[in-house]
Amino acid sequence: MNSFENLGLSQPVVEAIGKLGFENPTPIQEQAIPFLLEGNQDFVGLAQTGTGKTAAYGLPLLDLISPDERATKALILSPTRELGLQIADDLKKFSGNIRNLNVVAVYGGASIEEQIRKIKKGAQVIVATPGRLLDLIRRRAIDLRELEYLVLDEADEMLNMGFKEDIDAILSETNEDKRTWLFSATMPREVRNISKNYMDNPHEITVGTANTTNQNIEHHYYLMNNRDRYDALKRIVDFYPEIYGIIFCRTRRETQEVAEYLMRDGYNADALHGELTQQQRDRVMRKFKNRSLQLLVATDVAARGIDVDNLTHVLHYNLPDELEFYTHRSGRTARAGRTGISLALITPKEERKIGFLRKKLNANFTKQNIPVGNEVCEKQALHFVQRLKETEIKEEEMSSFMPSVFDELQDLDRDELIKRLAALEFSRFADYYRDAKDLNIKAGSSRRSNDRDRDYGVNESEKRLFINIGKKDGMDVPRLLNQLHRVCGVRGKNIGRIDLKGVYTFFNVESKYVDDVFKGFSDVVIAGRKVRVEEAGDEQAPSRGKRYGKPRKEFSRDNRGGRKPHRGQSRFNRESKRY
Ligand code: AMP
């Protein structure tokens, strides 16, 4: 294994990174540092985020520029303010032993005057977002004539974010002699064009394979019906009590909704999207970074450049349309040699997207079952036991009241005590999951059954039944529920959607109660007619041979006895149980 000294870095820099705990260079550092220290050629580094690329260009940069001159010698462009601040922070740490070297970050959403003041004091290294840099150039507050090194960090993200024109403008403002170093996780045509148009025969290195994701990431996916998406998310989050992750949504609205529903349901979550003010975004990011926030629900754009280590999971509430977005999203986990899980919630229709990703990224995607109630409870129980075992006992602080506690508990034996502790901790999970349905559906389930599911709100744990009694017989929803309870012993919460017609009715019932319904109604007369119950065929009233269109929605009920949301109403309202 190579050491940082062997790569040719100066002693002050080697010492500074030693203090940061960097022992050995990462692969990109090993390849890039000796080359960049030569300082005489353009460079393209294809590397995922989390590979140590900031140090790969930052360390040689600091050794190449002279701190004795006040002019700006190096400019680093970053797609977002968050990444820009992170880079500046890293560079300041790396240059802790170099006197008079100033690193200044400039970005939108903060006072430009303050930034101008800092630049005027002399900044050999400037880290900038493209928009703010152009502002500064236009105000003639920044002089890039003596620029020696320009770094384009996360170039693909800058282009994804629509900074192409800004980058063109900036590149044409800077002097021709400078060296340009470009780093990108992926190499789409637009990035290739930048290297063609603005770089001089760049030396290119790739760490890992371009367009593949970090090998330390496990890719999982879960199949569910669209209407169960939110419930599935909650199950998965409950299954990983130590989760610290980002939940990616496709729109701002979805982001806000998912975050609000998670908060409502007692999760430690918050939203990050473009409709928030800069202050709100900063507040959320601060909470997330210092881990007082466990789940960040974010849009792709808002989450760009988020640099948080130790994320255990990246969750795709909805898969992105673009392959590159998937790479960027999942690259937020498994940073700096750690492992992480990228998991996607998908419907059977979206399964082909997994096939595409699998092929393009040459990565292994494994299908996981959405945990059922018992599994979640067991996982939570073990987590609780682990916490219990690891709890630090502060003898001194507790000594004054522990005798009375022991006194109170003296009649409880060990088993009883453990059971009670567990019950106290789990009652909310146990209550919530007692009758929770299985949210899994099988891969490749037929289009027809999906359509039927959608039309009739039947889920996998339910059956749709036909009964030969309808409105003309005086039947209505309360009466039917009453009959089902009284005659068959099946409660309203186990009944799903009901579609009442003139002389018959369709209703959904949890599969395990189907026999009870058949048995209960086996010898019953309602309104002078002998009741007949049958399993409903596809869209057809049994024994009548007549086809029926979509049932009207007049008596939709969800399976907990509440009214089902109308079309267009949020699907998140459906799961109303809290804990
Ligand atoms: P980056 O890809 O530059 O965002 O780096 C990802 C993380 O890896 C950051 O937290 C760095 O501090 C850390 N890191 C970079 N290089 C090394 C190294 N050689 N040894 C240990 N950690 C590193």
Side-chain angles (χ1 to χ4, degrees):
M1 175 75 66
N2 229 328
S3 70
F4 281 106
E5 277 102 337
N6 291 348
L7 299 183
L9 291 167
S10 70
Q11 203 50 34
V13 166
V14 171
E15 274 170 25
I17 53 178
K19 275 196 212 140
L20 294 176
F22 293 14
E23 285 170 10
N24 298 305
T26 64
I28 183 139
Q29 291 162 1
E30 222 169 356
Q31 294 182 57
I33 292 173
F35 179 84
L36 295 179
L37 277 174
E38 298 285 322
N40 53 14
Q41 206 184 324
D42 284 352
F43 178 84
V44 170
L46 270 171
Q48 303 292 324
T49 175
T51 51
K53 63 185 164 56
T54 316
Y57 66 77
L59 300 176
L61 197 66
L62 294 171
D63 264 347
L64 285 166
I65 55 182
S66 160
D68 302 328
E69 292 181 53
R70 279 164 49 98
T72 299
K73 299 285 178 182
L75 172 66
I76 298 157
L77 284 184
S78 141
T80 62
R81 153 199 172 108
E82 280 79 15
L83 180 65
L85 281 168
Q86 181 66 40
I87 296 168
D89 231 41
D90 283 352
L91 295 184
K92 283 177 195 165
K93 286 183 198 146
F94 302 155
S95 63
N97 296 337
I98 308 175
R99 283 188 56 202
N100 297 331
L101 194 125
N102 290 329
V103 180
V104 171
V106 296
Y107 44 81
S111 154
I112 197 165
E113 282 77 24
E114 176 67 16
Q115 293 172 356
I116 292 174
R117 207 177 48 75
K118 285 189 180 154
I119 295 169
K120 288 254 151 69
K121 276 169 73 185
Q124 294 93 339
V125 182
I126 291 180
V127 186
T129 52
R132 175 55 56 103
L133 182 72
L134 274 183
D135 266 4
L136 290 164
I137 291 174
R138 285 192 198 108
R139 290 182 185 218
R140 301 194 186 286
I142 200 163
D143 182 354
L144 298 174
R145 281 172 304 182
E146 291 191 38
L147 197 70
E148 291 174 358
Y149 300 97
L150 171 68
V151 182
L152 301 169
D153 199 353
E154 305 214 348
D156 50 353
E157 293 218 7
M158 285 198 276
L159 295 173
N160 277 338
M161 290 176 74
F163 283 134
K164 163 128 189 15
E165 283 172 19
D166 288 0
I167 291 173
D168 284 340
I170 292 164
L171 286 165
S172 55
E173 278 291 325
T174 49
N175 65 1
E176 296 233 320
D177 311 334
K178 67 179 183 302
R179 297 274 65 101
T180 304
W181 303 344
L182 179 150
F183 286 82
S184 195
T186 57
M187 202 50 161
R189 192 164 26 91
E190 296 82 355
V191 178
R192 188 63 68 201
N193 284 344
I194 289 207
S195 92
K196 260 198 225 136
N197 298 340
Y198 295 105
M199 297 170 76
D200 182 16
N201 187 26
H203 175 71
E204 187 170 316
I205 66 161
T206 304
V207 175
T209 323
N211 273 349
T212 59
T213 55
N214 179 335
Q215 293 301 309
N216 289 341
I217 303 172
E218 281 180 43
H219 301 271
H220 295 173
Y221 70 96
Y222 294 81
L223 268 181
M224 30 98 248
N225 282 316
N226 196 33
R227 66 169 173 279
D228 291 329
R229 202 180 285 271
Y230 176 67
D231 292 348
L233 173 72
K234 291 206 306 183
R235 288 270 172 102
I236 293 162
V237 168
D238 287 344
F239 190 68
Y240 291 108
E242 295 277 0
I243 194 167
Y244 174 47
I246 305 179
I247 300 169
F248 281 96
C249 296
R250 294 221 301 207
T251 61
R252 291 171 184 182
R253 199 168 145 211
E254 188 176 73
T255 304
Q256 189 62 36
E257 266 187 343
V258 172
E260 275 174 17
Y261 281 94
L262 283 172
M263 287 187 261
R264 178 203 68 179
D265 290 339
Y267 294 86
N268 182 10
D270 212 337
L272 186 77
H273 56 71
E275 263 162 36
L276 304 176
T277 62
Q278 190 63 53
Q279 271 123 323
Q280 287 171 316
R281 288 170 56 176
D282 286 349
R283 190 181 52 79
V284 173
M285 272 318 295
R286 240 191 338 269
K287 280 199 300 174
F288 190 54
K289 278 193 172 176
N290 69 24
R291 294 192 82 149
S292 49
L293 186 67
Q294 196 178 7
L295 295 166
L296 181 73
V297 190
T299 55
D300 287 282
V301 172
R304 289 226 169 94
I306 286 185
D307 184 72
V308 180
D309 287 341
N310 301 326
L311 288 189
T312 61
H313 289 78
V314 163
L315 300 96
H316 310 264
Y317 188 72
N318 263 302
L319 277 176
D321 285 331
E322 313 263 334
L323 172 73
E324 266 123 40
F325 281 24
Y326 182 86
T327 312
H328 280 299
R329 285 178 175 192
S330 42
R332 302 286 159 220
T333 185
R335 294 166 66 81
R338 297 183 190 90
T339 54
I341 297 178
S342 165
L343 59 86
L345 300 178
I346 60 161
T347 62
K349 259 167 83 180
E350 293 164 335
E351 217 178 346
R352 63 188 165 76
K353 285 192 179 178
I354 297 289
F356 175 78
L357 289 173
R358 189 180 270 138
K359 206 163 115 204
K360 289 285 174 195
L361 301 175
N362 190 24
N364 196 15
F365 280 74
T366 49
K367 179 174 171 289
Q368 306 286 326
N369 284 329
I370 301 168
V372 293
N374 268 345
E375 290 168 319
V376 175
C377 290
E378 188 183 345
K379 197 73 183 281
Q380 290 284 346
L382 292 174
H383 177 61
F384 167 67
V385 171
Q386 205 53 37
R387 271 177 37 227
L388 196 70
K389 279 164 113 180
E390 285 166 6
T391 296
E392 190 195 345
I393 301 173
K394 296 187 173 142
E395 300 273 3
E396 256 176 49
E397 284 170 31
M398 295 158 63
S399 61
S400 62
F401 55 81
M402 279 319 279
S404 356
V405 173
F406 280 122
D407 218 33
E408 281 292 320
L409 295 174
Q410 64 178 338
D411 294 336
L412 294 182
D413 65 20
R414 181 178 181 274
D415 277 11
E416 187 71 18
L417 196 63
I418 292 175
K419 274 192 225 152
R420 277 169 197 261
L421 264 177
L424 198 65
E425 180 72 12
F426 293 120
S427 53
R428 63 185 190 129
F429 277 106
D431 285 350
Y432 181 73
Y433 281 114
R434 185 164 300 120
D435 295 318
K437 63 183 185 186
D438 185 349
L439 301 178
N440 290 291
I441 46 173
K442 298 193 175 49
S445 58
S446 75
R447 173 98 181 87
R448 191 182 175 87
S449 80
N450 289 341
D451 282 350
R452 213 188 91 170
D453 272 6
R454 203 167 41 241
D455 289 348
Y456 298 122
V458 187
N459 59 46
E460 283 295 300
S461 58
E462 289 180 340
K463 281 266 182 303
R464 187 160 175 81
L465 299 183
F466 161 92
I467 181 169
N468 66 331
I469 306 290
K471 283 193 232 173
K472 291 214 165 112
D473 307 298
M475 184 56 80
D476 57 21
V477 171
R479 278 197 193 114
L480 180 61
L481 289 174
N482 185 287
Q483 292 281 342
L484 283 162
H485 188 202
R486 223 168 28 81
V487 180
C488 313
V490 181
R491 300 161 71 109
K493 68 174 185 178
N494 305 118
I495 304 295
R497 175 176 168 151
I498 298 174
D499 289 296
L500 214 63
K501 304 283 166 181
V503 290
Y504 59 89
T505 300
F506 287 107
F507 62 99
N508 301 345
V509 60
E510 282 190 27
S511 307
K512 59 184 171 197
Y513 298 109
V514 167
D515 283 348
D516 295 339
V517 175
F518 283 137
K519 242 186 253 156
F521 280 139
S522 65
D523 201 13
V524 172
V525 175
I526 295 178
R529 291 167 65 190
K530 185 169 179 332
V531 173
R532 182 166 50 84
V533 182
E534 291 174 24
E535 235 180 83
D538 276 2
E539 302 163 49
Q540 216 167 3
S543 316
R544 283 168 198 254
K546 188 177 157 206
R547 287 194 69 79
Y548 296 92
K550 277 188 191 173
R552 273 177 289 141
K553 302 242 185 290
E554 56 236 287
F555 290 110
S556 297
R557 291 174 48 83
D558 71 18
N559 62 1
R560 293 197 173 79
R563 254 190 119 70
K564 197 170 176 180
H566 300 296
R567 213 168 267 261
Q569 196 176 331
S570 165
R571 64 178 163 273
F572 305 122
N573 292 341
R574 293 181 189 186
E575 179 99 313
S576 53
K577 261 193 181 179
R578 296 175 193 201
Y579 56 90

